[in-house]
Amino acid sequence: MKFKKNILCIGAGYVGGPSMAMIAHKCPDYRVTVVDINKARIDAWNSAELPVYEPGLDAIIKKTRGKNLFFAKDIENQIQENDIIFVSVNTPTKTFGAGAGKAADLQFLEKTARQILEHSQSPKIVIEKSTLPVKTALAMERILASAKGKITFDVLSNPEFMAEGSAMTDLENPDRVLIGSRETQSGLTARAQLVDIYARWIPAEKIITSNIWSSELSKLVANAFLAQRVSSINSISALCEKTDADISEVARAVGMDGRIGSKFLKASIGFGGSCFKKDILNLVYLCSYYGLQEVADYWESVIKINEYQQDRFMANILGNMFNTLAGKKICILGFAFKADTGDTRESPAVYITRKLLAEHAEVVISDPKALKNAAIDLAHDEGKISYIEDPYRAASGCHALAILTDWELYKKLDFQKIYKSMIKPAFIFDGRNFIDHKKCFDIGFNVYPIGKPALSRFEDQPSV
Ligand code: NAD
Ligand code: UGA
């Protein structure tokens, strides 16, 4: 069959896989191919057990895979055969050299650009889908321009705004699609081609265009603003705990102001995920690089509050469990960084588990989708760790439950049954304010939410 357009995506991760599946689903007359240097990942995309858990993804993959969606390993051939190339490779925080700990590590992006250059035999549109520091397109253009005029490349920026756990609905019905380009004739023509793809299913008013630098920067800023809201509400949760105010009531009252809005005001153990921290650090680095130290400090404080929130949670566990956890069994309910994903990258659960192990506690980890990743994350940690998917079995014989992920199933647990199987006094530390605290207190638990008065049978924390 002859396809109208041939689209390639380099990078078959959490973004490349789902976003290309959506394009293939919405554009059956386009051929979409996804490649990756990680061959095992490509095998997994071609198998019954996809490498990414995302509600709704399986169904779309089943409909499109082998028809107009392909996961392939022959990167060089695919570069030759496709004219529109999305780049969706990882851009983690740099761990070495200048800017270590803050700047983005662009080695994967640069390698991809060089591969595109080496194997292209016709003009290409190259689309940055990865999240990148502002001005990366300039580097990309310079690498691609070394073809010495034989072949032309147009670089576009099309950052992805989907969130994990809701990727398929976000991709199907996004708040907006952003496309940045050079404002040259050829840049604008390339931009129009990309607009055409999204226009297949997204209303025209939601497809916005801008200059390429605004597009690159907007992505970092959007993530920084979202994370800032979480840190803002979490900072106030600390004040609530000192004053008997209730963070859920404060968030409702504040969020009902239409100018503020109600989303992203859920106090929690802190934000996790592969992007918020790395993207804010990247923004901080950029601000320092341009000599804007005050601006850098302002955004860095969002991360500091996030770390503070996790430390506070841990201090609460330790303080309320009589200042010793040695030999005690703590059950972690939820290891993923949020519900509906198996992703554990930068999950607060990793940090909390390590802190618990450092106190010589025994940790039992339960999660419906993230146990495999949890075991990889903690493979080199010393201490007693076990992985038990069934929350009832996991909690049995434990001294405390720490709820770290907002999995819907935890709301429906039979806490009476769980209480019976635990060591007394039994504790719940709810890092998501997710379960019915009063009900659990009435069952017999001592309950410690975030930003709300504790429901405890002990008047004061003992001191040592
Ligand atoms: P990921 O690590 O899951 O996937 C990236 C893939 O790129 C990996 O499988 C890796 O093997 C592959 N890769 C690296 N170099 C390659 C090369 N030279 N050739 C072929 N493949 C190569 O990462 P992700 O979560 O999909 O994120 C990708 C980008 O999208 C990042 O910049 C991230 O910030 C951004 N982003 C992520 C999300 C999210 O929810 N995860 C959302 C929006 C934007
Ligand atoms: C986030 C953004 O929401 C996406 O728009 C963006 O595309 C993506 O980052 C990215 O660039 O990677 P994601 O990290 O998948 O998506 O998930 P979010 O829903 O944003 O949650 C991030 C963290 O904040 C989670 O740990 C979540 O539990 C926490 N959170 C979120 C709260 O603690 N409180 C809230 O009110 C909202």
Side-chain angles (χ1 to χ4, degrees):
M1 168 172 174
K2 177 111 178 69
F3 289 97
K4 265 196 191 145
K5 281 187 205 284
N6 291 311
I7 296 171
L8 177 66
C9 178
I10 301 181
Y14 285 86
V15 170
S19 62
M20 292 304 120
M22 186 55 69
I23 294 181
H25 173 55
K26 295 294 181 183
C27 313
D29 50 341
Y30 295 176
R31 181 189 165 97
V32 182
T33 307
V34 190
V35 292
D36 204 294
I37 35 166
N38 181 339
K39 303 220 181 316
R41 215 162 195 188
I42 293 297
D43 287 337
W45 280 110
N46 282 320
S47 75
E49 203 182 320
L50 302 180
V52 167
Y53 170 70
E54 203 53 74
L57 177 62
D58 273 41
I60 288 186
I61 293 282
K62 268 191 196 129
K63 274 190 200 155
T64 51
R65 194 174 55 192
K67 295 194 180 84
N68 69 326
L69 176 66
F70 301 90
F71 293 94
K73 296 175 186 170
D74 56 335
I75 303 182
E76 293 81 5
N77 287 339
Q78 294 301 337
I79 290 173
Q80 273 177 33
E81 285 170 19
N82 289 276
D83 304 325
I84 299 176
I85 304 179
F86 286 90
V87 179
S88 184
V89 299
N90 38 327
T91 52
T93 304
K94 216 176 155 191
T95 52
F96 54 89
K102 285 209 172 81
D105 183 349
L106 297 176
Q107 61 171 308
F108 305 106
L109 187 91
E110 169 148 358
K111 273 183 200 138
T112 309
R114 290 186 188 281
Q115 266 180 313
I116 295 174
L117 175 68
E118 191 183 340
H119 301 290
S120 292
Q121 293 173 353
S122 56
K124 313 275 178 205
I125 297 176
V126 179
I127 304 157
E128 299 174 342
K129 192 160 257 315
S130 299
T131 303
L132 299 164
V134 57
K135 290 282 179 184
T136 302
L138 194 58
M140 185 83 134
E141 285 172 349
R142 284 181 182 161
I143 292 169
L144 294 172
S146 54
K148 299 199 181 71
K150 281 182 274 174
I151 302 166
T152 54
F153 295 93
D154 283 293
V155 177
L156 300 178
S157 159
N158 170 221
E160 182 51 65
F161 294 104
M162 56 149 253
E164 287 177 35
S166 56
M168 301 323 284
T169 47
D170 293 347
L171 288 164
E172 183 151 34
N173 186 20
D175 286 344
R176 78 309 206 180
V177 165
L178 174 59
I179 303 172
S181 71
R182 290 288 198 170
E183 279 149 332
T184 56
Q185 193 49 51
S186 114
L188 295 174
T189 308
R191 182 163 102 181
Q193 284 217 48
L194 187 53
V195 169
D196 276 354
I197 296 176
Y198 286 112
R200 286 292 189 92
W201 78 97
I202 293 164
E205 66 276 12
K206 285 193 172 180
I207 305 175
I208 58 171
T209 55
S210 73
N211 87 33
I212 197 158
W213 319 124
S214 309
S215 175
E216 287 179 334
L217 184 58
S218 299
K219 172 63 199 180
L220 291 184
V221 174
N223 273 359
F225 271 59
L226 289 168
Q228 179 205 43
R229 283 176 70 92
V230 178
S231 277
S232 295
I233 203 72
N234 281 343
S235 72
I236 299 303
S237 76
L239 185 57
C240 285
E241 285 167 31
K242 297 280 184 207
T243 58
D244 289 338
D246 180 319
I247 195 65
S248 303
E249 293 176 355
V250 173
R252 185 183 59 192
V254 171
M256 276 177 78
D257 185 326
R259 294 168 301 176
I260 297 170
S262 60
K263 293 182 184 162
F264 264 68
L265 286 182
K266 262 191 238 139
S268 68
I269 173 78
F271 58 76
S274 63
C275 294
F276 277 180
K277 186 175 173 194
K278 99 171 155 62
D279 292 348
I280 295 174
L281 286 170
N282 190 348
L283 190 64
V284 168
Y285 179 76
L286 282 167
C287 294
S288 304
Y289 176 84
Y290 287 108
L292 305 171
Q293 201 48 49
E294 286 77 0
V295 187
D297 294 345
Y298 175 75
W299 286 107
E300 195 161 16
S301 69
V302 171
I303 293 174
K304 285 194 181 140
I305 289 291
N306 202 49
E307 290 165 355
Y308 169 69
Q309 190 74 348
Q310 295 173 37
D311 287 338
R312 264 175 15 84
F313 187 79
M314 185 58 211
N316 254 333
I317 297 181
L318 186 60
N320 288 301
M321 291 183 73
F322 321 120
N323 288 307
T324 174
L325 298 175
K328 289 182 182 167
K329 250 172 117 176
I330 314 290
C331 172
I332 290 189
L333 290 179
F335 204 84
F337 81 97
K338 64 184 283 198
D340 293 325
T341 177
D343 195 353
T344 59
R345 290 178 293 178
E346 296 292 339
S347 177
V350 180
Y351 184 76
I352 297 297
T353 301
R354 290 196 172 133
K355 289 274 173 195
L356 290 170
L357 291 173
E359 291 292 339
H360 294 185
E362 193 177 323
V363 183
V364 185
I365 298 172
S366 188
D367 190 290
K369 295 284 175 198
L371 287 192
K372 237 190 206 171
N373 281 334
I376 295 169
D377 294 335
L378 301 170
H380 303 295
D381 286 84
E382 281 182 20
K384 281 193 175 168
I385 314 173
S386 44
Y387 303 91
I388 304 178
E389 188 174 328
D390 176 5
Y392 295 101
R393 280 208 306 118
S396 176
C398 287
H399 295 75
L401 307 175
I403 301 174
L404 302 188
T405 311
D406 44 348
W407 284 106
E408 205 50 40
L409 75 98
Y410 297 150
K411 269 193 184 146
K412 297 173 195 142
L413 290 176
D414 179 346
F415 282 99
Q416 183 78 57
K417 180 174 159 185
I418 289 179
Y419 180 73
K420 272 195 201 146
S421 73
M422 288 177 65
I423 309 283
K424 316 295 181 310
F427 297 83
I428 296 180
F429 299 91
D430 185 357
R432 295 286 179 172
N433 284 344
F434 200 60
I435 57 163
D436 187 333
H437 298 146
K438 173 78 174 55
K439 198 167 140 193
C440 288
F441 177 67
D442 291 343
I443 287 170
F445 283 104
N446 296 293
V447 186
Y448 299 86
I450 299 265
K452 293 169 188 277
L455 298 172
S456 158
R457 285 171 174 76
F458 313 116
E459 293 250 306
D460 291 312
Q461 281 184 22
S463 56
V464 279

